[in-house]
PDB file of all heavy atoms in Angstrom:
ATOM      1  N   PRO B 430     -34.813  -1.526  31.435  1.00 82.00           N
ATOM      2  CA  PRO B 430     -35.756  -0.520  30.905  1.00 82.00           C
ATOM      3  C   PRO B 430     -35.321   0.078  29.564  1.00 82.00           C
ATOM      4  O   PRO B 430     -36.150   0.313  28.691  1.00 82.00           O
ATOM      5  CB  PRO B 430     -35.795   0.543  32.012  1.00 82.00           C
ATOM      6  CG  PRO B 430     -35.494  -0.221  33.246  1.00 82.00           C
ATOM      7  CD  PRO B 430     -34.492  -1.270  32.843  1.00 82.00           C
ATOM      8  N   SER B 431     -34.013   0.295  29.367  1.00 82.00           N
ATOM      9  CA  SER B 431     -33.587   0.945  28.121  1.00 82.00           C
ATOM     10  C   SER B 431     -33.726   0.031  26.910  1.00 82.00           C
ATOM     11  O   SER B 431     -33.564   0.468  25.772  1.00 82.00           O
ATOM     12  CB  SER B 431     -32.156   1.452  28.251  1.00 82.00           C
ATOM     13  OG  SER B 431     -31.300   0.371  28.522  1.00 82.00           O
ATOM     14  N   PHE B 432     -34.006  -1.250  27.124  1.00 83.00           N
ATOM     15  CA  PHE B 432     -34.188  -2.170  25.996  1.00 83.00           C
ATOM     16  C   PHE B 432     -35.653  -2.466  25.709  1.00 83.00           C
ATOM     17  O   PHE B 432     -35.961  -3.235  24.818  1.00 83.00           O
ATOM     18  CB  PHE B 432     -33.478  -3.510  26.288  1.00 83.00           C
ATOM     19  CG  PHE B 432     -31.976  -3.419  26.261  1.00 83.00           C
ATOM     20  CD1 PHE B 432     -31.249  -3.172  27.412  1.00 83.00           C
ATOM     21  CD2 PHE B 432     -31.292  -3.579  25.068  1.00 83.00           C
ATOM     22  CE1 PHE B 432     -29.865  -3.100  27.389  1.00 83.00           C
ATOM     23  CE2 PHE B 432     -29.908  -3.515  25.026  1.00 83.00           C
ATOM     24  CZ  PHE B 432     -29.188  -3.266  26.195  1.00 83.00           C
ATOM     25  N   GLN B 433     -36.566  -1.874  26.492  1.00 75.00           N
ATOM     26  CA  GLN B 433     -37.976  -2.218  26.322  1.00 75.00           C
ATOM     27  C   GLN B 433     -38.618  -1.518  25.152  1.00 75.00           C
ATOM     28  O   GLN B 433     -38.532  -0.305  25.027  1.00 75.00           O
ATOM     29  CB  GLN B 433     -38.778  -1.882  27.599  1.00 75.00           C
ATOM     30  CG  GLN B 433     -38.453  -2.767  28.764  1.00 75.00           C
ATOM     31  CD  GLN B 433     -38.212  -4.214  28.366  1.00 75.00           C
ATOM     32  OE1 GLN B 433     -39.129  -4.883  27.922  1.00 75.00           O
ATOM     33  NE2 GLN B 433     -36.980  -4.695  28.476  1.00 75.00           N
ATOM     34  N   PRO B 434     -39.270  -2.276  24.305  1.00 70.00           N
ATOM     35  CA  PRO B 434     -40.039  -1.631  23.231  1.00 70.00           C
ATOM     36  C   PRO B 434     -41.291  -1.001  23.836  1.00 70.00           C
ATOM     37  O   PRO B 434     -41.759  -1.433  24.890  1.00 70.00           O
ATOM     38  CB  PRO B 434     -40.398  -2.802  22.315  1.00 70.00           C
ATOM     39  CG  PRO B 434     -40.248  -4.030  23.126  1.00 70.00           C
ATOM     40  CD  PRO B 434     -39.374  -3.732  24.286  1.00 70.00           C
ATOM     41  N   VAL B 435     -41.805   0.033  23.190  1.00 65.00           N
ATOM     42  CA  VAL B 435     -43.008   0.691  23.692  1.00 65.00           C
ATOM     43  C   VAL B 435     -44.216  -0.166  23.273  1.00 65.00           C
ATOM     44  O   VAL B 435     -44.175  -0.857  22.271  1.00 65.00           O
ATOM     45  CB  VAL B 435     -43.164   2.099  23.062  1.00 65.00           C
ATOM     46  CG1 VAL B 435     -43.920   3.022  24.012  1.00 65.00           C
ATOM     47  CG2 VAL B 435     -41.814   2.691  22.708  1.00 65.00           C
ATOM     48  N   GLY B 436     -45.286  -0.107  24.031  1.00 70.00           N
ATOM     49  CA  GLY B 436     -46.473  -0.882  23.634  1.00 70.00           C
ATOM     50  C   GLY B 436     -47.255  -1.306  24.858  1.00 70.00           C
ATOM     51  O   GLY B 436     -46.681  -1.488  25.938  1.00 70.00           O
ATOM     52  N   GLN B 437     -48.531  -1.441  24.650  1.00 70.00           N
ATOM     53  CA  GLN B 437     -49.419  -1.824  25.748  1.00 70.00           C
ATOM     54  C   GLN B 437     -49.037  -3.168  26.351  1.00 70.00           C
ATOM     55  O   GLN B 437     -49.156  -3.396  27.538  1.00 70.00           O
ATOM     56  CB  GLN B 437     -50.856  -1.916  25.218  1.00 70.00           C
ATOM     57  CG  GLN B 437     -51.514  -0.550  25.077  1.00 70.00           C
ATOM     58  CD  GLN B 437     -53.008  -0.701  24.961  1.00 70.00           C
ATOM     59  OE1 GLN B 437     -53.483  -1.600  24.288  1.00 70.00           O
ATOM     60  NE2 GLN B 437     -53.750   0.162  25.635  1.00 70.00           N
ATOM     61  N   GLN B 438     -48.522  -4.055  25.442  1.00 75.00           N
ATOM     62  CA  GLN B 438     -48.210  -5.401  25.918  1.00 75.00           C
ATOM     63  C   GLN B 438     -47.141  -5.407  27.018  1.00 75.00           C
ATOM     64  O   GLN B 438     -47.090  -6.308  27.840  1.00 75.00           O
ATOM     65  CB  GLN B 438     -47.702  -6.264  24.757  1.00 75.00           C
ATOM     66  CG  GLN B 438     -48.776  -6.568  23.738  1.00 75.00           C
ATOM     67  CD  GLN B 438     -48.268  -6.345  22.318  1.00 75.00           C
ATOM     68  OE1 GLN B 438     -47.266  -5.673  22.122  1.00 75.00           O
ATOM     69  NE2 GLN B 438     -48.954  -6.914  21.354  1.00 75.00           N
ATOM     70  N   ALA B 439     -46.297  -4.371  27.007  1.00 80.00           N
ATOM     71  CA  ALA B 439     -45.198  -4.319  27.978  1.00 80.00           C
ATOM     72  C   ALA B 439     -45.711  -4.359  29.416  1.00 80.00           C
ATOM     73  O   ALA B 439     -45.007  -4.794  30.334  1.00 80.00           O
ATOM     74  CB  ALA B 439     -44.351  -3.078  27.734  1.00 80.00           C
ATOM     75  N   ALA B 440     -46.946  -3.909  29.610  1.00 84.00           N
ATOM     76  CA  ALA B 440     -47.515  -3.895  30.958  1.00 84.00           C
ATOM     77  C   ALA B 440     -47.646  -5.305  31.531  1.00 84.00           C
ATOM     78  O   ALA B 440     -47.724  -5.489  32.751  1.00 84.00           O
ATOM     79  CB  ALA B 440     -48.894  -3.227  30.922  1.00 84.00           C
ATOM     80  N   ARG B 441     -47.650  -6.294  30.657  1.00 89.00           N
ATOM     81  CA  ARG B 441     -47.795  -7.674  31.146  1.00 89.00           C
ATOM     82  C   ARG B 441     -46.450  -8.347  31.453  1.00 89.00           C
ATOM     83  O   ARG B 441     -46.365  -9.538  31.691  1.00 89.00           O
ATOM     84  CB  ARG B 441     -48.599  -8.500  30.124  1.00 89.00           C
ATOM     85  CG  ARG B 441     -50.093  -8.129  30.154  1.00 89.00           C
ATOM     86  CD  ARG B 441     -50.925  -9.078  29.309  1.00 89.00           C
ATOM     87  NE  ARG B 441     -50.882  -8.734  27.901  1.00 89.00           N
ATOM     88  CZ  ARG B 441     -50.501  -9.551  26.927  1.00 89.00           C
ATOM     89  NH1 ARG B 441     -50.114 -10.774  27.218  1.00 89.00           N
ATOM     90  NH2 ARG B 441     -50.495  -9.158  25.669  1.00 89.00           N
ATOM     91  N   ILE B 442     -45.370  -7.542  31.402  1.00 90.00           N
ATOM     92  CA  ILE B 442     -44.046  -8.096  31.734  1.00 90.00           C
ATOM     93  C   ILE B 442     -43.569  -7.465  33.040  1.00 90.00           C
ATOM     94  O   ILE B 442     -43.605  -6.243  33.180  1.00 90.00           O
ATOM     95  CB  ILE B 442     -43.026  -7.772  30.624  1.00 90.00           C
ATOM     96  CG1 ILE B 442     -43.507  -8.331  29.281  1.00 90.00           C
ATOM     97  CG2 ILE B 442     -41.652  -8.334  30.974  1.00 90.00           C
ATOM     98  CD1 ILE B 442     -42.659  -7.902  28.092  1.00 90.00           C
TER      99      ILE B 442
END
Side-chain angles (χ1 to χ4, degrees):
Chain B
S431 60
F432 289 93
Q433 291 322 293
V435 208
Q437 281 197 319
Q438 292 134 342
R441 286 189 279 124
I442 302 172

